[in-house]
Amino acid sequence: MAERVMMKGNEAIAEGAIRAGCRCFFGYPITPQNEVPEYMSRRMPEVGGVFIQAESEVSAINMVYGAAGAGVRAMTSSSSPGVSLKMEGISYIAGAELPCVIVNVARGGPGLGGLTPSQADYFQATKGGGHGDYRLIVFAPASVQEIIDLMFEAFVTADKYRNPAMVLADGLLGQMMEPVVMKELADLKMPPKPWATTGMVERAQNVVNSLGLVGEDLEKINQRLQQKYREIEANEIRFEDDGTADADLVVVAYGTSARIAKSAIAKAKAEGKKVGLLRLITLWPFPKQKIAELAKAGKEFLVIEMSAGQMIEDVQLASGGQTPVHFYGRLNGAIPTVTEAYQAIMKYMTGKGVE
Amino acid sequence: MERVFGRAAALQDRVNHYCPGCTHGVIHRLVAEAIDDLQVREKTIAIAPVGCAVLAYNYFNCDSQQAAHGRAPAVATGVKRVLPDRIVFTYQGDGDLASIGMAEIVHAANRGENITVIFINNAIYGMTGGQMAPTTLPGQKTTTSPFGRDVKTMGNPIRVTEMLNTLQGPAFLARVSVHDPKHVAKAKEAIRKSFETQVNGQGFSMVEVLSTCPTNWGLAPTEALKWLETNMIPQYPLGIFRTPEEVAK
C-alpha cells in the first residue's frame, strides 16, 4: 500500500535508498545534508543494515568500496567540500567497476563556500572529479517525490552497469518538505554479483581491483570502460520534455533551477510566448542528440543554472553552434527568483523579435 | 614417503616480485599458514595496500580487494560489517598505515572492528624508491632525508603499536620481527593469534612486523637482517602489548 507522507528532501534520500534495497550507509556530517546520516542511524538497525559514522569523508567512501565489493547495495552522502574528499575513492570505485550510490546535496563553493544551495558541482559530477577517464551516472531530482524515485533508479542503474551513480541534489531540495507517495519496498531484483568478494567457496578467486600495471592492459581496461559508457549513453538518458516541439526558445535546466524555470515559463506561456522546457533528469549521460535536433529545428536555448555557467558548455557543444545558446545564472549561494527567470526568458524572446 | 613440508594452501603457486632479501615473502607465508591452521581460507577476504604489497592478491589464495593508499582499514570495515562471519585482513606497509592512512587505522582500531591488520614496518617507503617514512629512524638516510632524518624538522619515528595501545578498542596488539628463525617462530605465533582473535569475534587485532628493505637501505640481505636487529629493535621494542584475555579482565 502506497502511503502519502510529508517528508524532507534529505529524509527522502535516506528512506528512498532503504526502500531501494540499500543496506549500508557510511557518512560524515556536513551541512546541509545532516538529516541523511541522522535518519540512517535510526533506520538502518530497523532493517538489519549497517550504519557507520566514519572518521572522514575519505573513510566513508572507502567503506562503501569495501561493502559494494562484497556485493551489497551501499551508499554515502555528503555536500560539496565533502564530495571533493570522496573523489579519490570514487575514482577507485569507478576503476574497480563497483555499483554504489553517492549523494551530493550541493552547497556553494569553491573552498568552504557557504551553506546555501548551488549547482556549481556540475563539472565535478559529470566530467570525472577524480583522476582518470571515468564517468558517473548522474541523476538530478527536482522534487522530494523525484528524490525517492531516483534513489531507486540510481541503485538499479548502478547495479546494471557495475558503475557508481550519483544523485546530485542541492541544499534547497534537501531541506524542503513536500508530500510524497512512499513506495512499498519493491520486489528487489538484485542482479547476481558473481564478481563480489564473499569468500571463495567452490569457485575461483575474486579480486576487486583497479590496478593495471602494464600499459597496454590498462588501455584495454579503459577501452572496456568506454564501451560501457557508450552503452549507458545509448540506454539511460532521461529528461522531461515540456513543449519544446512548439517552442521558439527552449529553457534547459535541472533540479531546483528547473522548478523555478517551470513557473517562469508558465507565466511567459500565459502571455502567448512560445517557450518550452527541457529538464534534465540525467546530467550524464547528457541528451546530446535531443539538443542537436532542437538546434537543427532552429530553436534557441536559454540555460538557467545556479552557477557561473557549467552545463551551458554541454548545451553549446551539443547544439553545435547552429543556434544561439543564452545563459542566465546566479552564482553560488543565490537562488534565481521566478521573476528573474521570467525576465531572462523575455529578454531572449525579445532579442529574437518574437515579442 | 611422508610429506612434512609444503606450500601453504592460502598461498598461490607463483613467484613473487619482491626484491632479493626482502622479508615480505616470509611474512606472506606466516599469514598463509595462520589462515590454513584456522581453516578459514574459503571465507577470508584480503585487503591489499598501495606499495610493495599491492599485488598481494596474486600471492594469497583467497578473495581480495585492493584499496587506495592508506584506506585499507576503511575498506576492510566495509567488507566486515556486511559479511560479519567472514575473516577480513589488511596487509599494509608503514607509509600506507602510519602516514597517509593514520586516521583510518586509528579509527578502525578504536571502533574495535573485528578485523586483522598485518603491519609491515621497514622504516622506509619501498615501492616509491626509498623515501622517508613516519617510521624512519633518527639519522637514517633516505632519498628525501639525504642527510639523515633530523628529528627537529622531520619529527620522530612513530611507534604505532604503542599508540594504538592507548585506545580501548583493540583486542590484540603485538610487535614481532622476522630477522632470524627464532623470531620468525614468534612472529608466526603472534600472527596466528591475531587471526584467532578475529575468528573468536574478540575484536581488532594488529601485528606489527619489523621487516627489511635491502634495496632501499642499500645493504646486502644478511646485512639488512643485522641492521634490523641492531637499529630497529631498540626503537621498536618487540612483544605482545595486549591480548583478548587481558582486555576481558
Side-chain angles (χ1 to χ4, degrees):
Chain A
M1 271 269 287
E3 42 176 323
R4 196 173 161 82
V5 291
M6 196 73 173
M7 196 162 231
K8 204 170 183 174
N10 282 336
E11 294 170 338
I13 290 168
E15 186 62 34
I18 288 170
R19 298 202 181 203
C22 174
R23 284 300 173 271
C24 50
F25 177 89
F26 308 105
Y28 185 80
I30 181 171
T31 309
Q33 61 81 58
N34 291 318
E35 292 87 354
V36 183
E38 285 168 359
Y39 192 96
M40 286 297 196
S41 70
R42 291 194 303 272
R43 277 287 277 143
M44 272 302 177
E46 288 175 9
V47 295
V50 174
F51 166 85
I52 298 180
Q53 181 172 322
E55 60 270 25
S56 68
E57 286 91 346
V58 178
S59 283
I61 191 70
N62 282 284
M63 289 174 186
V64 168
Y65 176 104
V72 306
R73 281 188 170 162
M75 76 175 269
T76 185
S77 76
S78 192
S79 182
S80 308
V83 175
S84 292
L85 284 169
K86 290 184 194 294
M87 279 299 158
E88 172 200 67
I90 293 172
S91 169
Y92 276 73
I93 288 170
E97 294 188 80
L98 298 177
C100 71
V101 174
I102 302 122
V103 177
N104 184 357
V105 183
R107 64 190 230 184
L112 193 52
L115 306 179
T116 47
S118 166
Q119 293 182 321
D121 294 354
Y122 177 88
F123 281 155
Q124 187 195 50
T126 61
K127 310 292 182 197
H131 59 283
D133 280 324
Y134 76 89
R135 295 288 186 171
L136 300 175
I137 306 163
V138 185
F139 294 92
S143 69
V144 179
Q145 181 67 59
E146 200 174 32
I147 285 174
I148 302 236
D149 300 341
L150 290 184
M151 286 309 297
F152 191 91
E153 293 299 314
F155 276 103
V156 170
T157 316
D159 270 350
K160 186 173 166 190
Y161 296 97
R162 284 185 61 184
N163 202 71
M166 175 175 275
V167 175
L168 181 63
D170 63 56
L172 191 104
L173 285 163
Q175 293 297 325
M176 72 179 2
M177 284 189 97
E178 284 184 320
V180 294
V181 176
M182 190 57 69
K183 287 180 180 130
E184 278 290 289
L185 181 59
D187 176 24
L188 296 171
K189 288 200 180 66
M190 209 91 73
K193 299 183 176 179
W195 45 265
T197 59
T198 52
M200 49 186 290
V201 182
E202 290 175 3
R203 62 158 167 76
Q205 181 195 33
N206 279 344
V207 178
V208 167
N209 193 10
S210 63
L211 183 67
L213 282 176
V214 180
E216 282 171 15
D217 292 352
L218 184 56
E219 189 181 34
K220 273 184 199 133
I221 292 169
N222 274 291
Q223 279 164 347
R224 199 188 65 242
L225 284 176
Q226 292 302 318
Q227 199 181 333
K228 177 169 85 174
Y229 300 147
R230 298 297 87 79
E231 211 181 303
I232 296 170
E233 282 186 312
N235 299 328
E236 305 299 339
I237 290 169
R238 290 166 214 205
F239 54 81
E240 178 191 341
D241 181 341
D242 190 355
T244 63
D246 301 330
D248 294 319
L249 182 71
V250 173
V251 175
V252 187
Y254 67 94
T256 291
S257 50
R259 284 177 77 113
I260 294 158
K262 212 166 208 175
S263 302
I265 288 166
K267 199 174 167 194
K269 268 186 171 170
E271 293 167 18
K273 306 295 186 217
K274 287 183 165 180
V275 51
L277 175 69
L278 188 68
R279 181 175 74 86
L280 270 53
I281 297 170
T282 56
L283 303 183
W284 195 90
F286 187 82
K288 287 187 263 192
Q289 192 64 35
K290 176 71 183 175
I291 286 171
E293 283 163 15
L294 291 169
K296 201 177 173 191
K299 294 162 197 318
E300 294 192 12
F301 299 93
L302 169 63
V303 177
I304 301 180
E305 285 182 270
M306 283 147 57
S307 75
Q310 298 191 5
M311 185 175 70
I312 187 175
E313 293 188 7
D314 284 333
V315 177
Q316 283 169 335
L317 208 58
S319 65
Q322 297 183 88
T323 54
V325 180
H326 310 287
F327 177 71
Y328 178 73
R330 292 300 304 275
L331 293 185
N332 287 316
I335 303 160
T337 63
V338 172
T339 306
E340 285 165 355
Y342 166 79
Q343 282 165 352
I345 290 166
M346 294 311 279
K347 181 178 166 190
Y348 296 113
M349 293 301 271
T350 308
K352 210 166 168 271
V354 290
E355 188 121 22
Chain B
M1 218 180 347
E2 193 197 350
R3 183 170 178 157
V4 294
F5 194 77
R7 181 171 50 81
L11 274 186
Q12 299 194 35
D13 186 7
R14 192 170 281 165
V15 176
N16 72 44
H17 72 285
Y18 299 116
C19 300
C22 167
T23 41
H24 264 311
V26 174
I27 303 162
H28 275 27
R29 185 175 174 103
L30 299 182
V31 171
E33 285 177 352
I35 292 168
D36 280 9
D37 283 356
L38 296 164
Q39 297 181 307
V40 291
R41 185 180 70 84
E42 290 185 332
K43 56 177 196 170
T44 294
I45 295 125
I47 313 295
V50 163
C52 291
V54 68
L55 298 174
Y57 49 81
N58 282 344
Y59 309 134
F60 291 117
N61 188 17
C62 61
D63 273 5
S64 307
Q65 295 196 15
Q66 194 282 320
H69 200 190
R71 318 297 175 218
V75 172
T77 297
V79 175
K80 185 72 183 189
R81 289 292 186 107
V82 300
L83 300 172
D85 64 336
R86 310 301 201 281
I87 302 305
V88 182
F89 78 94
T90 74
Y91 188 100
Q92 302 176 259
D94 43 45
D96 191 79
L97 181 142
S99 192
I100 194 168
M102 186 61 103
E104 281 79 3
I105 192 63
V106 168
H107 287 274
N110 193 50
R111 283 191 302 268
E113 292 294 343
N114 192 30
I115 59 171
T116 296
V117 174
I118 306 298
F119 168 38
I120 313 302
N121 179 0
N122 61 9
I124 205 161
Y125 278 77
M127 178 65 100
T128 48
Q131 296 83 10
M132 187 181 75
T135 46
T136 292
L137 302 181
Q140 186 182 342
K141 287 184 180 172
T142 71
T143 60
T144 50
S145 59
F147 311 109
R149 181 179 190 157
D150 179 355
V151 297
K152 285 196 187 115
T153 56
M154 303 170 193
N156 283 287
I158 299 177
R159 292 190 180 106
V160 173
T161 303
E162 283 85 343
M163 195 174 71
L164 296 187
N165 200 25
T166 65
L167 304 171
Q168 290 168 287
F172 180 78
L173 293 170
R175 183 183 289 121
V176 298
S177 175
V178 288
H179 68 277
D180 64 26
K182 190 180 97 184
H183 285 87
V184 169
K186 281 191 174 173
K188 179 177 174 169
E189 210 177 310
I191 288 170
R192 190 199 143 100
K193 179 79 179 166
S194 70
F195 276 91
E196 211 171 52
T197 301
Q198 183 181 171
V199 169
N200 294 339
Q202 289 165 308
F204 181 87
S205 59
M206 187 184 85
V207 180
E208 176 176 345
V209 186
L210 301 186
S211 180
T212 60
C213 185
T215 300
N216 289 304
W217 291 354
L219 297 172
T222 48
E223 289 171 352
L225 293 169
K226 191 75 199 152
W227 192 88
L228 185 165
E229 185 182 10
T230 312
N231 298 285
M232 284 185 74
I233 292 176
Q235 178 69 41
Y236 299 112
L238 306 180
I240 308 289
F241 289 73
R242 192 186 295 191
T243 65
E245 294 72 30
E246 286 165 3
V247 174
K249 269 180 201 167

